Amino acid sequence: MEYTIITNNPLVKENYSNVLFIEGSVKDVLISTRNSLHEGGKLLTHPLGASLRMLLSPYRSIVVSLEKSNIDLNHLDIIESSIIKYNQHMEVRNEDSTHGKDYSIIDLTLLDSACEELSRFS
């Protein structure tokens, strides 16, 4: 399965070749992912982290299929809901940039695990 990783995490950029690197925030990564889905890509990983604490991370990596097909309305709903949820949380919280290096490593580790799972479906 061919895919690309949309990320703003420099560690991911260093460790993977199939990366669309975003010079920006997590919100910019989410918006770029939405744009990819509008072009017919499919979500292969969920756009938001599994915990509230990970919402404070300055880094996010999302895996999207390269195979273009009809727009998947369910995937569009997921990304739109994720952008809304992210915006709501960030209105009352601040990004935790003090622990950026730790978040970068966590994001890379979660991505490694997701890519390993995806390789089993190829």
Side-chain angles (χ1 to χ4, degrees), residues 41-57:
K42 304 285 183 255
L43 284 173
L44 298 179
T45 60
H46 198 280
L48 293 180
S51 70
L52 179 60
R53 188 71 186 152
M54 285 306 292
L55 270 175
L56 304 179
S57 170

Side-chain angles (χ1 to χ4, degrees), residues 52-69:
L52 179 60
R53 188 71 186 152
M54 285 306 292
L55 270 175
L56 304 179
S57 170
Y59 300 109
R60 187 70 186 131
S61 300
I62 304 169
V63 183
V64 177
S65 71
L66 284 176
E67 300 169 25
K68 304 298 183 192
S69 60

Side-chain angles (χ1 to χ4, degrees), residues 63-100:
V63 183
V64 177
S65 71
L66 284 176
E67 300 169 25
K68 304 298 183 192
S69 60
N70 294 332
I71 294 173
D72 187 318
L73 296 179
N74 185 44
H75 289 209
L76 280 178
D77 185 49
I78 291 169
I79 191 67
E80 292 293 348
S81 297
S82 296
I83 292 169
I84 291 167
K85 191 172 290 188
Y86 178 80
N87 286 337
Q88 287 172 339
H89 283 284
M90 297 318 283
E91 284 177 6
V92 294
R93 293 178 173 82
N94 294 319
E95 186 179 88
D96 184 4
S97 54
T98 4
H99 299 100

